[in-house]
Amino acid sequence: MKPANMNDRFLRACRREPVDRTPIWMMRQAGRYMSEYRALRAKHSMLTLCKSPELACQVTLQPIVHGVDAAILFADILLPLEPMGAPFEFAKGEGPVVHEPVTDRAGVDRLRIFEAEEGLGYVLDAIKLVRKELNGKVPLIGFAGAPFTLASYLIEGGKSAHYIKTKKMMYGDPAAWKLLMEKLSEVTRRYLRAQITAGAQAVQLFDSWIGQLSPLDYAEFVLPHVQYILKDIETTGVPVIHFGTGTSTLLQLQKQAGGTVIGVDWRMSLTDAAKLVPGVALQGNLDPLLLFAPQDVMKKRAAIVIDEGKQLPGHIFNLGHGILPETPVENVKALVDFVHEYSAR
Ligand code: CP3
């Protein structure tokens, strides 16, 4: 039963049902562009925030004041690496650092598959807490990293420009690669299912760096594993957003792998994306840098995205990728208001 006060336009758009206004939320909406977040981070590390359900809940709720139509759980795609046996930290100025990167078959063999309730119970507790605090105000989105994107951090040990070590394993030891992808897929499948059981009302699979692959390599080395996850999650009936960047040549394969909604970055128009993947709801796709433009410029470009979205079976307004830490917070608020006003049916 839907609570009387629930704003469900995000879930309706995922299901391709009519909406009164285009729903909007923003990837990375909980984070450093908000002074409330920076104040908490001055006292606690990123991992402490993730591992304390009360703090994670607090951060998840911070961006709701902007009027967004969904909350995304505050966590990180890399959290499953630790219970798999690959601890990491967020080093200042460097991003994530995996202490002992996995570079060969022996390293892959050592990785553990775990139950989310045991390894990531703190995330599930945070979900339960957020649902209670939101009390139906807006739906809660859970998420996980997709196997390729997770593998790239595991193998490279952090961020990467050319993914040399990742592709060396993919091409040079396809059996080790396959085992790695199978382990990551099973962990991710169980983790997403557990998030849904805990109360996530939609989930997003982040394959952020998949645009590094040719369609041929995506089809051979990645698609079957993503499909294994998504076909199972789809049976729950909970909407799944399948997101990547640099995907204009991969969208059809991504859709084949699965997803109720396909995330589109800003490098192609929603109209062109819909020609490649007709019949599915799309999420996107304003360039996050437009939040640094004068507001009238930002609004003109947002209007184009909204108009294109209205021609689709379902559209969720979002940025083409995560919001940047330097983003002026007043522009976030202005964008949310504009999307709701301009898109009113
Ligand atoms: O979207 C949200 O508001 C929910 C929280 C969330 C975070 N990370 C919080 C975070 C989500 C959904 C993510 C996903 C994530 N994490 C991705 C995929 C999304 C994307 O943008 O493509 C990736 C690739 C990661 C890995 C990761 N985590 C990196 C590369 C970094 C450092 C990069 C940077 O911007 O410094 C993180 C750290 C991180 N994750 C922060 C936040 C708020 C910054 C931590 C801090 O406060 O210092």
Side-chain angles (χ1 to χ4, degrees):
M1 260 265 293
K2 140 178 160 151
N5 63 341
M6 182 168 176
N7 165 358
D8 67 346
R9 58 172 84 96
F10 163 75
L11 292 174
R12 292 183 63 84
C14 290
R15 296 191 298 250
R16 291 172 285 166
E17 293 166 4
V19 285
D20 59 338
R21 292 156 200 266
T22 301
I24 171 171
W25 70 280
M26 287 177 231
M27 290 182 277
R28 297 288 186 106
Q29 67 188 16
R32 286 167 292 183
Y33 74 99
M34 288 187 76
S35 56
E36 296 87 339
Y37 176 82
R38 293 195 301 271
L40 271 184
R41 272 287 276 113
K43 288 187 260 168
H44 310 280
S45 74
M46 167 70 187
L47 279 176
T48 302
L49 291 184
C50 292
K51 290 181 178 183
S52 320
E54 287 77 15
L55 294 173
C57 173
Q58 206 178 322
V59 177
T60 302
L61 299 177
Q62 283 172 350
I64 304 306
V65 296
H66 305 318
V68 287
D69 296 297
I72 179 157
L73 180 74
F74 184 78
D76 195 84
I77 62 163
L78 301 180
L79 296 178
L81 299 188
E82 185 178 71
M84 286 187 86
F88 66 94
E89 65 183 305
F90 292 106
K92 207 172 164 55
E94 262 186 86
V97 178
V98 176
H99 297 312
E100 287 177 45
V102 170
T103 50
D104 56 12
R105 172 68 192 229
V108 175
D109 282 334
R110 281 193 294 272
L111 292 171
R112 285 187 299 272
I113 292 173
F114 64 93
E115 293 295 344
E117 291 77 5
E118 286 152 26
L120 293 168
Y122 56 85
V123 175
L124 307 178
D125 290 342
I127 290 176
K128 291 175 198 158
L129 204 55
V130 173
R131 278 298 303 276
K132 197 165 134 234
E133 292 293 318
L134 279 172
N135 192 25
K137 193 165 189 279
V138 290
L140 175 64
I141 305 170
F143 68 92
F148 176 83
T149 294
L150 289 178
S152 77
Y153 286 101
L154 254 181
I155 299 172
E156 306 288 338
K159 64 172 191 266
S160 177
H162 300 291
Y163 300 86
I164 293 175
K165 294 175 189 153
T166 306
K167 291 189 180 183
K168 260 174 109 168
M169 186 190 289
M170 203 172 83
Y171 296 127
D173 193 347
W177 175 263
K178 183 161 178 278
L179 182 63
L180 175 59
M181 296 305 267
E182 284 169 358
K183 286 187 166 183
L184 289 168
S185 303
E186 183 56 17
V187 162
T188 305
R189 185 187 72 79
R190 292 184 191 185
Y191 183 36
L192 287 174
R193 273 205 166 255
Q195 290 186 33
I196 290 166
T197 303
Q201 290 152 290
V203 291
Q204 176 156 325
L205 189 70
F206 283 93
D207 217 349
S208 305
W209 310 135
I210 203 66
Q212 292 294 326
L213 294 181
S214 68
L216 209 65
D217 286 338
Y218 181 82
E220 179 173 347
F221 294 110
V222 176
L223 190 151
H225 307 287
V226 176
Q227 197 166 46
Y228 171 79
I229 300 167
L230 294 183
K231 292 301 164 200
D232 180 59
I233 301 304
E234 282 171 15
T235 65
T236 65
V238 163
V240 187
I241 306 160
H242 186 179
F243 169 79
T245 69
T247 50
S248 54
T249 60
L250 300 176
L251 285 178
Q252 288 142 304
L253 293 168
Q254 276 189 294
K255 187 185 172 207
Q256 195 182 319
T260 326
V261 180
I262 303 289
V264 180
D265 79 9
W266 69 92
R267 295 172 181 88
M268 84 187 300
S269 73
L270 288 179
T271 305
D272 285 343
K275 285 181 194 147
L276 296 172
V277 288
V280 73
L282 298 183
Q283 175 174 282
N285 73 342
L286 192 75
D287 185 339
L289 270 295
L290 275 159
L291 285 162
F292 295 81
Q295 283 194 4
D296 59 320
V297 176
M298 173 182 83
K299 288 177 187 174
K300 267 190 203 139
R301 302 295 287 274
I304 296 173
V305 173
I306 294 164
D307 289 338
E308 291 190 63
K310 280 191 178 179
Q311 305 303 314
L312 305 173
H315 175 225
I316 297 135
F317 193 103
N318 206 314
L319 305 176
H321 200 177
I323 194 167
L324 292 167
E326 300 84 0
T327 302
V329 70
E330 63 275 15
N331 290 359
V332 173
K333 178 86 185 106
L335 179 63
V336 174
D337 289 344
F338 177 75
V339 170
H340 285 153
E341 282 157 25
Y342 182 83
S343 69
R345 312 296 204 253

